Amino acid sequence: MSDKHVIKRAKYKSSTKDPGVPGVLKLVVNLCPTTSHYWNQIGIIPERVAMQYAQNDGIERFIFMPNDQKSGVKLNVEFKIVKGHKFTKEGSKHALLNLTQEQGGSYIFEFDTFAERDVCREFVARAIAFYTEGGKAGPERATPPVTNEQLSSIETERRIKLLQENSELQTLHKQFVFGGILTDDEFWATRKKLLDQNDSRRPKQRLALKNEMWSLKPLSDGQIFAEKPAVRQAYLKLVPHKLNGIEFWTKYSRAQLLHSTRNVVAAAAEGDEDEELAVFLKRDDMLAKEARRKIRRVDPTVDIEADKGDDYTHLPDHGLVRDETKDVLDPRYEPYRRSFSQDLNQHSAVVLQGRVVDAELTEPRDVAEALTRKMQAELSEDKLNTNFEKELSNRMSRSAELEDLQGPRDPAVAPLSIKDPRDYFDSQQANALKALGDPGSAAKPLISSASARQAYDSLRNVIIDINEMGLTEPIMNQEVALKVLSGLTQSISSTKFHLGNSSNDSILDMLPKVTKEELLHLKECPVPDVDIPVTRLKDAMSQVYPQLQEIKESVQSDFRHQVSLLVHPMLQALDAAFAHYDADVQRRSAKSGEKRNGFMQ
Amino acid sequence: MTPVSSKLYADDVSLLMVLIDTNPFFWNSAQSTLPFSKFLTHVLAFLNSILLLNQMNQVVVIAAGYNSCGYIFDSSDPQNQNKRAEDLLHKLEEFVDNDQELCREESVDGPGFSLLSGSLSMALCYIQRVFRTVPLHPQPRILCLHGSPDGPGQYVAIMNSIFSAQRSMVPIDSCVLGAQHSAFLQQASYITGGVYLKPQIFDGLFQYLSTVFATDLHSRYFLQLPKPAGVDFRASCFCHKNTIDMGYICSVCLSIFCKHQKKCSTCGSVFGQAQTQNSSTTPDRKMKMPVDG
């Protein structure tokens, strides 16, 4: 809020002959309304102050204060009404400055020195010029066309905006415009460029340039050749036949640039146009082959999958979240897509491998050739070791065997050998037939060999004959029928006679009386009592065995089976009695301590 | 599988499965005593008589050849109701032709063996089908008209068939035509509750068949039918092939020996010490249960 003003001692003369009233003349610069409005808008001055300033019509005014307050000559005149000014030449008696009004009045001031008078003169001149111009422009300003006003309001807003944004500009504006060095328009005229640019343009953050400082030094070449065998191969092939070194590396850097933009489609387009560029842009197949070869040589017992969860490097993009959506690429663009993780892995592999070729090699060509030679040597060595992998896997699988899951090497048991069941059956059949006592069975069948054809033919003929001739009448002779019927009847009745009507009938009734009585007697034998002499009973009982045997043998073969079934429980009872007796005797002998033969007599 | 109670169905309705032996080598060898033509004649007449006994009777004929078995005749077949005999013979002829084609041997010694096990299985399958498809069905039984000797290789299969017939409560009747008895069929009839018969007079085969084997299962409750003299199931020792009712048995393979042995000749297992005998009069041997059927 600096008011630019000039304060000088001067004498006010109403006319030239007037001695003048001594006092102080103050030439004051007020803020122009537009400026105060600006400053209000941008918050520098409060509104009431702006309004205050706005009320002051004139920018400049002069104030004269007499030394003697009582004289009553006080002047506060705006330069607006001052139309002109006159001044005495230097070297005249008095330094006078005459400010003339429109109406014809004038204010004359006498200064002590000409220098002071000149300063004031200049100030006054400027003020008058301003107002004259402003006056000229005034009527135009007073009735401005609509567009001008709009423009000016737009302009105003622009200017306000700029000043708000750019503090440096604001300082400059304050310095020049308020200092009176430049007018507002002049100030903005020089900064037209800024005004024009004051649009919706957001200053973007520019992409950082890829800082790939490469040079033709062997070091960096070696690194590139080591990491990218395709590049190396291309170099050996193209330089210096097709391209020179600079052209080659230019293309390479172009490829790198394309790659950095991650625009696969553009890369593919460029690759289609330029063969050599395509080599740089596409994926490196040699690298893939090498990787596969290395994987094959890994010890099979190493579990690569084990730490998958822990190892973030296996995640796509190292687990970093990407904003871009992974869209499915057209298959023809696929070779151009390279992955960050692949490049990183390859770089780290090369670093770990260390310096493969001699550091003294400086020419890129030599470096490339040396690397190629090394690679080929490795490949040939690998071919010699084709068996190595097989041996390795065999060794590993053998050592990885779990002992307790292995099957038995040799059977610990001897195989079971069983005789042919047919042998058993044959013997059985012979016995069965013998036992049946069939007279027919004794006769051996006539064994004659017959040809298959003959046998089948005779069979077939019989069938055909019967088909043609029909059944014979009568089917059989009636005598034969009678014979058969009587024979059947006899056999049925005899069987019944022998075996009873049903198998449930006891056969005891069929047996000879004596045998029957003996059996019954034996059955009803009482339980041996302690009082009865044991030895006698034992003798009697032991005699039963042969008797039963005799009975069984005496019975006809037809009944033998049934008899044996009857006899069996009797024999069991006898066995049980003997066993009981033996046990009892042993107990007693143990008690008495008498040594006795524990066996039956 | 008990048959459904046949209140609406007469009691004597029967389904008869006839298995005929068509082993050409057997018939060739038995030509003197029983020619095949006579056999066929008698069997055809018998089949007719079965069908006459009850209009709901069913008869199925299965041929057991040397190399194959096949269905020859099914009375429930709606085709050829008027010409059953012709149809049967025609099919039999075809079967014989097929059997001959399957024959790989030029000549066979003796009567050879017929496929009894196969025919038994086919009969049982047919019976099972009847059980499962028809809610009301006649009482099934099987009649084996067999002459060929028993083939030892079919022992297990025949025993299995016998046991399945027993389970299904299907009696197996046996009419043995050959010169010797058939142990297989004896056991089959015994186990399943059928009738076993070996005709003495072959000329009267039809009489045998109509007297004994035409009886339905219901009538058998009150008819006396020939019973076998006895099926001998006694064991025979492996060492001398003698029939014994007391002996030693290997606990591993159940082989039977009449005398004590240190080692089993069949499976090779070693026996323990026999208990010493102190008494001469009483042989202190453990009585073995005679092998019973």
Side-chain angles (χ1 to χ4, degrees), chain B:
Chain B
M1 313 271 177
T2 51
V4 178
S5 68
S6 48
K7 284 196 181 156
L8 295 171
Y9 223 51
D11 292 343
D12 58 347
V13 178
S14 55
L15 162 64
L16 180 64
M17 311 290 297
V18 182
L19 314 181
I20 56 174
D21 187 357
T22 57
N23 179 11
F25 305 105
F26 161 72
W27 289 115
N28 197 41
S29 64
Q31 219 162 11
S32 52
T33 49
L34 179 63
F36 186 64
S37 55
K38 205 177 266 187
F39 168 75
L40 262 187
T41 311
H42 286 236
V43 167
L44 284 171
F46 168 66
L47 294 176
N48 281 328
S49 63
I50 290 287
L51 292 169
L52 281 170
L53 281 173
N54 192 317
Q55 68 176 4
M56 299 188 79
N57 276 357
Q58 289 178 34
V59 172
V60 175
V61 180
I62 297 171
Y66 188 72
N67 296 308
S68 59
C69 305
Y71 292 98
I72 301 294
F73 176 74
D74 188 353
S75 66
S76 57
D77 194 1
Q79 289 175 357
N80 291 333
Q81 290 286 329
N82 294 330
K83 291 186 175 179
R84 282 185 176 149
E86 288 87 350
D87 191 36
L88 188 151
L89 290 167
H90 178 67
K91 280 194 182 160
L92 184 62
E93 192 185 335
E94 280 178 4
F95 172 79
V96 169
D97 290 337
N98 286 338
D99 204 37
Q100 186 177 11
E101 278 173 31
L102 293 168
C103 190
R104 288 176 198 173
E105 290 139 347
E106 283 296 320
S107 68
V108 174
D109 289 337
F113 305 113
S114 66
L115 296 178
L116 176 62
S117 58
S119 54
L120 270 174
S121 308
M122 288 173 83
L124 289 166
C125 287
Y126 187 94
I127 289 168
Q128 275 298 315
R129 199 186 72 179
V130 167
F131 280 156
R132 289 171 197 215
T133 53
V134 184
L136 205 61
H137 49 74
Q139 295 171 12
R141 66 179 191 273
I142 298 174
L143 169 63
C144 292
L145 296 168
H146 233 68
S148 309
D150 298 327
Q154 300 174 42
Y155 178 69
V156 174
I158 289 175
M159 291 314 292
N160 285 334
S161 309
I162 291 168
F163 293 131
S164 60
Q166 182 191 27
R167 186 123 197 269
S168 313
M169 293 172 63
V170 175
I172 298 177
D173 300 330
S174 311
C175 182
V176 179
L177 307 165
Q180 62 237 19
H181 282 276
S182 166
F184 287 167
L185 289 174
Q186 267 185 356
Q187 291 201 37
S189 299
Y190 180 80
I191 290 169
T192 57
V195 177
Y196 176 86
L197 182 69
K198 186 173 181 308
Q200 305 297 321
I201 305 161
F202 291 118
D203 289 340
L205 179 63
F206 174 75
Q207 188 63 50
Y208 285 107
L209 292 174
S210 54
T211 308
V212 178
F213 297 110
T215 53
D216 56 272
L217 297 181
H218 179 70
S219 310
R220 289 185 190 194
Y221 287 119
F222 46 83
L223 286 176
Q224 290 288 337
L225 294 174
K227 280 197 182 94
V231 184
D232 192 0
F233 299 104
R234 278 184 300 170
S236 57
C237 71
F238 281 52
C239 35
H240 308 109
K241 315 287 183 210
N242 295 333
T243 308
I244 56 167
D245 52 4
M246 265 205 296
Y248 297 88
I249 291 183
C250 170
S251 51
V252 173
C253 62
L254 300 181
S255 314
I256 300 159
F257 305 100
C258 52
K259 287 181 192 171
H260 173 259
Q261 294 190 352
K262 285 184 188 170
K263 193 177 140 184
C264 174
S265 59
T266 310
C267 68
S269 51
V270 177
F271 295 137
Q273 283 281 332
Q275 292 191 8
T276 55
Q277 306 168 20
N278 276 7
S279 169
S280 57
T281 53
T282 321
D284 189 14
R285 282 185 293 182
K286 287 288 176 193
M287 272 258 312
K288 301 292 175 195
M289 268 295 282
V291 175
D292 216 332

Side-chain angles (χ1 to χ4, degrees), chain A residues 118-137:
Chain A
D118 286 340
V119 168
C120 293
R121 181 172 60 84
E122 281 171 16
F123 197 82
V124 165
R126 220 177 33 241
I128 290 169
F130 179 79
Y131 272 104
T132 314
E133 277 180 73
K136 282 182 194 162

Side-chain angles (χ1 to χ4, degrees), chain A residues 327-346:
Chain A
D327 44 353
V328 180
L329 276 179
D330 212 322
R332 70 192 153 144
Y333 296 140
E334 267 303 311
Y336 292 97
R337 199 221 295 249
R338 292 191 356 211
S339 95
F340 172 63
S341 56
Q342 282 174 1
D343 294 338
L344 192 71
N345 286 339
Q346 177 59 15

Side-chain angles (χ1 to χ4, degrees), chain A residues 98-112:
Chain A
N98 188 1
L99 300 170
T100 53
Q101 288 178 11
E102 275 179 1
Q103 287 91 354
S106 62
Y107 303 99
I108 301 167
F109 292 100
E110 187 183 356
F111 293 90
D112 293 338

